[in-house]
Each structure stands twice: as C-alpha cells, then as structure tokens.
Amino acid sequence: MPDPLGADAGLAGPVERKGARTRRRILEAARKEFGRLGFERATVRGIAQAADVDKASVVQYFGTKQNLFHEAVSWHIRIDELAGADPAESAENYLRGLLTNWAANPDSPMSVLVRASMTSEEAAEMLRDRVTGEAVDRIAERLDDPDARLRAAVFAAVMMGLATHRYLLQMPDLAEAPLEDVLRIAVPVVRALIEPQS
C-alpha cells in the first residue's frame, strides 16, 4: 500500500549527497523540536543543536524558522491512490494507512503540525488549509451528494480524531486496542461517510 502521507517523496537514493543528508537531518530535528515545543518556543539554535549542525547551516538551507516550519510540516495525502473499488475498501485503506503511518513515525509532518496547531494560530491555519485541500476537497469530489462537503468534513474530523486520540492523547481504550479491532469498529463509520447515498 502506498504511504498515505507521501512521506517517501523526496527520499534520497542509494547515494545521498552530503548537502541532502544535512538538510534531511535538519528537517528531522525540526520536526522533533516543533512537535515537542511548538512553533513559538522552538528556536533555530535548538534545532541546529539537535541536528548537530551550526545555526548558519539551518539558515543556509531554510532561511527562516518560518520557512523551516512550513517545510517540516508539509505532507500530502494520497486519497486517489488509496481509494479502492468499493467504499469499504477505501475506508479500510484510508484508516489503515493513516493509523499505520502515525504508529510508525510519531514525528511525522502531520503529527507535528497537529501538535503545533494547539499553540500557534499560524500552524492551526496551515492545518485547516491542508486538511481542507488534501482530504475534504478530494473526498467531496468523489461524492455525488448535496451534503458532499459536510460529509467530507466529518470524514476528515473522524480520521484526525482517531489518530490524535490514539497516538497524541493516548486515550487508553483506543491507544491500547489492537489496530485490527480499531479498524473493525471504525471502518463502517468511515464507509458510511464516503458511500454513495441511494
């Protein structure tokens, strides 16, 4: 199954150049720092230290903290690639892809942006724009329904709610449940939102 967040995009090939390696290291450190401290409290100096580079290198590759933040939290949801032949297949693909990605990488761009959005209006605006463009718009296009946009918005809220409750808030019943049990309960909910109405 393709990575639902496009996290494989831009990865270096077998021989990664030194500049690309340094840039990647800075981005990884930035995600950790922004996720831990938020946009406001994270500093370029702290990110440089976490990446084991000097502050000048961060500025050289990204210019400003804001530019670095924007790049560190950039992600793409592959809605079209994850869509299956029927709504149940699509629902399972969307959920399994999202939850598996968050489990594998607690500092994924999406996770970091969600955490940062709790303390930064700029991050919250970025999150609203990204979820609307990457999920709501794409799902709404697939629905032939007068409530297509509202249904797509509820779809996005359910997906983000599951991920944040399971991995960020670690609500016990959801965080401790096996993935297959979560899918068994959640797939019909998501399917009902994306299934054509008769």
Side-chain angles (χ1 to χ4, degrees):
M1 177 188 303
D3 180 344
L5 302 179
D8 56 339
L11 287 182
V15 178
E16 187 178 30
R17 298 170 91 158
K18 183 181 177 191
R21 240 186 350 262
T22 302
R23 195 173 197 286
R24 179 177 48 80
R25 211 165 63 239
I26 294 168
L27 279 171
E28 289 169 358
R31 288 186 189 112
K32 284 184 172 46
E33 292 294 292
F34 286 131
R36 187 171 66 85
L37 300 171
F39 175 74
E40 301 297 335
R41 291 179 50 219
T43 64
V44 171
R45 185 178 306 284
I47 291 166
Q49 185 175 9
D52 196 26
V53 299
D54 57 27
K55 184 178 171 183
S57 294
V58 177
V59 174
Q60 174 190 343
Y61 285 104
F62 298 97
T64 65
K65 182 172 89 165
Q66 187 172 30
N67 290 345
L68 174 56
F69 179 72
H70 279 257
E71 192 158 343
V73 299
S74 179
W75 43 268
H76 171 66
I77 302 173
R78 295 174 171 172
I79 292 287
D80 296 332
E81 292 176 38
L82 293 170
D86 67 80
E89 182 183 351
S90 297
E92 180 165 349
N93 287 350
Y94 296 148
L95 282 163
R96 187 180 296 280
L98 178 72
L99 297 177
T100 301
N101 181 273
W102 277 54
N105 185 3
D107 290 316
S108 70
M110 182 187 287
S111 171
V112 171
L113 184 55
V114 169
R115 284 182 273 168
S117 72
M118 299 298 110
T119 57
S120 164
E121 180 53 36
E122 180 177 358
E125 183 62 29
M126 286 177 65
L127 182 62
R128 285 191 288 270
D129 289 347
R130 186 60 60 145
V131 170
T132 299
E134 295 285 332
V136 177
D137 291 349
R138 304 297 297 146
I139 292 294
E141 288 171 4
R142 298 176 158 277
L143 299 175
D144 183 16
D145 186 281
D147 292 322
R149 289 203 62 82
L150 182 56
R151 290 164 67 85
V154 174
F155 160 85
V158 168
M159 297 288 286
M160 293 297 288
L162 280 169
T164 56
H165 278 235
R166 183 170 169 87
Y167 298 109
L168 295 185
L169 298 175
Q170 297 182 355
M171 301 299 287
D173 296 297
L174 194 54
E176 294 166 11
L179 176 61
E180 295 306 317
D181 287 346
V182 175
L183 293 174
R184 178 173 51 81
I185 300 296
V187 164
V189 175
V190 173
R191 176 183 179 168
L193 293 167
I194 63 175
E195 193 162 28
Q197 299 300 290
S198 52

